[in-house]
Amino acid sequence: MSSTHTTQSASSDDEDEMEIDTNAAVNPSSAAAHKIAQNEGSLAAVYRDATDWLQHVRALRETDVIILLTPVVVPISQDPTDISDPFEPLGRSLAKRHARVRQVPYTKRNGITSTHLGFIKRGHVIILCFALRPGEQLPLEFADITFAVSDNKPCIIVVCCNPIDENQIIPFPTVIQTLGYSPPALESTAALIFGEGLGFPLGRASEPPTTDSQAPRLWQVEQWNESRDISSVVGLWNEDINGRFALDQDTLASLLRRPGYAKHYVVRDTKSGVIHGFCATYLAYVDKEGEKLIASLAVLLVRSTHRLLGIGLSLHSHAVSQLKRTRGVIRLQFGSTFPRLLYGPPLGMQFNEAWFRRRGWQFNKESPGQGQVIYDLILDFSNWKYSDNSSSETIFKLCTQEDMMKVIEIVEETSAKQAKMGWFDQYTSMMNGPNVKDIVLAVADNVVVATALTYTPSCGSPIPSNLPWAGRIGDDVGGVTCICISPHQNDNIMGGLLNACVKMLHDQGMTRMFIDGVAGEVDSLKRLGFEEWAQYRDVWKDV
């Protein structure tokens, strides 16, 4: 046999407790099997191939590897002494057509484990099989995990069920339905995958395909055009994200407009042209070398009347694939630091966390990148409670052009250690410009030990164009962002630095101050008079 068959399980997790599906027996001699075989001429048929991935399989190179993931099920014979793998005939049939096939079983209990993920990452085509009892629903999370890790490789879902369930919702681009997992049915599946069977939608042969079918499918993703799409996207934004995060057209357009650093995508109705989904993405430099980038999946919106149709999956897969292909990207962020649409998923807002978690985003841990809570805070100057009891000789002053190289050094060092990517870009945007004085410094023994960026709605610097929320709150609200403090400094330096910012903004006519992206210092800032304005999840993953 040319294929490599991993017996029983590919994972020690699976080996501990295998849950054999004892109710999934499928008998190819049943009346239903004969009926479909006679009337439709095949034991397997293509349910959907929206991505033409079957063509990719048929054009594989000799060195490419097919990863075949198969469920652990009882043999068709139901003989207790029969320990053969019922899906081994599929592996053999595929191996007759392509030499490099790796069959890796999985159990219903443990699903797709880290061992399976390792095989998926090394493969070139993934075939994921399911064996369903009559009326049983497809375990979508297994397929979602496989799709998320496969990184847009051809991925084929094979659903084995007897009788065929025509009402089963299978929201994936390329699907084959097979009448059970008998050897003839699996041989028909292998032949169909390699183009040796005609194939047609089981139970749907008389239905003409429609581009706007309400079944989940892969949608065409287009790059957005501002002049054509902005009004529709604003409407979609304010439909999905309302309340304090509502935006007018000019503000949202200015946030999206980043030539060379942004790509945004839409899915539209093929007949009316109405936008049903929108995704915004950005790139930002990490350090002065200019070789490392952080990529942001800033927002993903789907019209409420068109959810569960595959629009979100189509946008997410396309956008993430494009970002990963960008040279120099070392991190993907769910949300955006700069420009700030939303730092991350806002707490308290309706949000399908499970859907994103199946695509590799982590939300449930109190650690950076995996769901840590991040705060935006606001201070009314009348509530400012800072008192300078320090005997330190640290001085606070406004930045000059001569200070900027020292500022860049501390920003690059501390933001990297604190996983605050994107901050470097904000400071470098101030170099050699008139707004360098908007940077407040803490200096000890002629060494810059802390920095903060300040801004007002009309200060003329690029910062407020990246951070809209202070200006949206009111014209009297100034902002402080990107606070970098050397790790060797005492705790009081934060209070002193913010005190200098308060004085500076007060002198410019502000009565309140907005601070964004705060994590561990929340309690101490509340004691100084700040109040919570918004909370987000900090979500990112390294590439």
Side-chain angles (χ1 to χ4, degrees):
M1 186 174 70
S2 300
S3 64
T4 299
H5 179 207
T6 306
T7 60
Q8 296 297 326
S9 172
S11 161
S12 59
D13 291 337
D14 290 344
E15 291 171 351
D16 289 342
E17 291 185 67
M18 288 195 300
E19 182 175 309
I20 303 295
D21 193 349
T22 57
N23 296 314
V26 180
N27 187 345
S29 63
S30 68
H34 282 302
K35 182 177 180 181
I36 289 183
Q38 291 171 0
N39 293 346
E40 301 181 345
S42 177
L43 293 173
V46 176
Y47 176 96
R48 180 188 302 117
D49 187 22
T51 48
D52 289 329
W53 275 342
L54 290 175
Q55 293 298 327
H56 287 272
V57 177
R58 297 159 192 168
L60 284 173
R61 299 170 298 182
E62 291 184 3
T63 55
D64 290 341
V65 178
I66 295 175
I67 302 300
L68 175 62
L69 305 176
T70 57
V72 175
V73 293
V74 295
I76 290 174
S77 66
Q78 299 192 45
D79 182 348
T81 64
D82 185 356
I83 60 172
S84 64
D85 180 356
F87 276 88
E88 189 169 337
L90 179 57
R92 287 198 300 266
S93 296
L94 291 170
K96 292 177 185 177
R97 297 163 170 87
H98 184 77
R100 297 175 65 83
V101 179
R102 303 292 181 263
Q103 182 182 351
V104 191
Y106 69 89
T107 66
K108 181 179 178 181
R109 177 183 181 85
N110 294 306
I112 305 302
T113 68
S114 58
T115 301
H116 298 96
L117 300 184
F119 278 97
I120 292 168
K121 290 178 180 178
R122 294 194 294 271
H124 298 85
V125 167
I126 316 301
I127 301 175
L128 174 61
C129 299
F130 295 100
L132 302 183
R133 297 187 296 268
E136 182 182 10
Q137 291 300 305
L138 195 72
L140 297 178
E141 64 275 14
F142 294 0
D144 279 341
I145 292 170
T146 302
F147 267 78
V149 176
S150 65
D151 194 20
N152 217 31
K153 299 171 186 173
C155 192
I156 300 165
I157 304 297
V158 176
V159 179
C160 304
C161 188
N162 186 6
I164 296 296
D165 184 358
E166 297 181 15
N167 296 316
Q168 178 79 244
I169 295 177
I170 312 175
F172 297 99
T174 299
V175 180
I176 291 174
Q177 282 189 304
T178 299
L179 191 66
Y181 53 84
S182 67
L186 296 179
E187 168 61 34
S188 294
T189 301
L192 192 59
I193 289 173
F194 279 90
E196 299 166 17
L198 293 177
F200 48 80
L202 287 174
R204 297 168 174 83
S206 62
E207 298 176 15
T210 60
T211 56
D212 291 320
S213 168
Q214 292 304 297
R217 61 184 176 88
L218 194 71
W219 294 69
Q220 180 180 353
V221 176
E222 304 175 20
Q223 197 157 324
W224 99 304
N225 178 289
E226 180 181 336
S227 60
R228 178 189 62 189
D229 299 331
I230 183 59
S231 60
S232 295
V233 170
V234 170
L236 186 57
W237 174 280
N238 288 322
E239 173 189 317
D240 284 3
I241 303 175
N242 46 35
R244 64 181 47 190
F245 295 113
L247 289 172
D248 59 53
Q249 181 167 313
D250 289 344
T251 301
L252 183 57
S254 69
L255 289 166
L256 296 173
R257 196 180 302 129
R258 294 292 185 279
Y261 294 89
K263 283 189 176 180
H264 313 312
Y265 307 99
V266 298
V267 164
R268 66 180 74 253
D269 187 287
T270 54
K271 295 178 180 177
S272 67
V274 174
I275 291 176
H276 295 316
F278 173 72
C279 180
T281 71
Y282 297 100
L283 297 171
Y285 288 110
V286 172
D287 54 29
K288 64 176 178 288
E289 301 301 327
E291 296 179 355
K292 297 178 182 179
L293 295 166
I294 178 173
S296 297
L297 184 72
V299 68
L300 178 62
L301 305 174
V302 177
R303 195 172 300 281
S304 58
T305 55
H306 284 71
R307 291 173 186 165
L308 303 179
L309 299 180
I311 294 173
L313 177 63
S314 301
L315 284 166
H316 182 277
S317 298
H318 182 83
V320 170
S321 176
Q322 294 298 311
L323 292 173
K324 284 185 175 180
R325 291 175 184 172
T326 304
R327 182 178 179 274
V329 168
I330 63 171
R331 178 171 292 175
L332 293 176
Q333 179 184 359
F334 182 43
S336 62
T337 306
F338 305 102
R340 178 72 48 76
L341 295 181
L342 296 169
Y343 192 103
L347 271 68
M349 183 175 292
Q350 186 178 4
F351 172 68
N352 192 343
E353 182 177 315
W355 190 92
F356 285 96
R357 191 163 54 243
R358 291 197 298 269
R359 282 151 185 85
W361 303 101
Q362 182 63 257
F363 296 87
N364 59 356
K365 297 182 180 179
E366 270 299 318
S367 55
Q370 297 187 313
Q372 178 184 27
V373 178
I374 298 293
Y375 298 82
D376 288 346
L377 305 174
I378 191 165
L379 169 74
D380 188 311
F381 290 163
S382 63
N383 296 327
W384 182 233
K385 297 181 175 65
Y386 174 77
S387 58
D388 187 3
N389 299 319
S390 172
S391 59
S392 168
E393 296 187 5
T394 302
I395 62 171
F396 300 95
K397 66 167 213 167
L398 305 186
C399 183
T400 65
Q401 291 291 352
E402 289 73 21
D403 297 315
M404 279 304 294
M405 292 310 297
K406 297 177 182 178
V407 169
I408 293 300
E409 289 176 5
I410 187 175
V411 169
E412 186 175 20
E413 177 187 1
T414 59
S415 62
K417 288 181 178 178
Q418 298 170 16
K420 299 295 187 181
M421 292 193 178
W423 288 15
F424 175 83
D425 240 10
Q426 298 308 296
Y427 277 92
T428 55
S429 71
M430 308 288 281
M431 291 187 71
N432 304 316
N435 291 97
V436 67
K437 64 182 182 305
D438 293 338
I439 303 174
V440 178
L441 307 180
V443 180
D445 297 325
N446 294 318
V447 175
V448 175
V449 295
T451 72
L453 281 173
T454 69
Y455 60 95
T456 63
S458 58
C459 66
S461 84
I463 305 304
S465 67
N466 285 332
L467 293 167
W469 303 116
R472 298 294 295 174
I473 296 169
D475 292 337
D476 63 333
V477 182
V480 176
T481 189
C482 301
I483 299 174
C484 293
I485 298 177
S486 172
H488 308 296
Q489 297 304 304
N490 58 51
D491 295 338
N492 195 51
I493 199 164
M494 170 70 93
L497 187 67
L498 289 176
N499 188 58
C501 294
V502 167
K503 291 180 179 178
M504 178 180 175
L505 293 173
H506 182 270
D507 290 343
Q508 296 180 54
M510 302 293 104
T511 65
R512 292 177 287 175
M513 185 168 77
F514 185 84
I515 184 171
D516 65 279
V518 176
E521 310 90 353
V522 173
D523 290 340
S524 60
L525 291 176
K526 286 182 178 179
R527 288 192 291 270
L528 291 172
F530 283 92
E531 297 179 353
E532 291 180 20
W533 188 79
Q535 299 180 28
Y536 315 87
R537 291 289 185 187
D538 180 33
V539 182
W540 48 261
K541 51 188 176 181
D542 289 328
V543 176

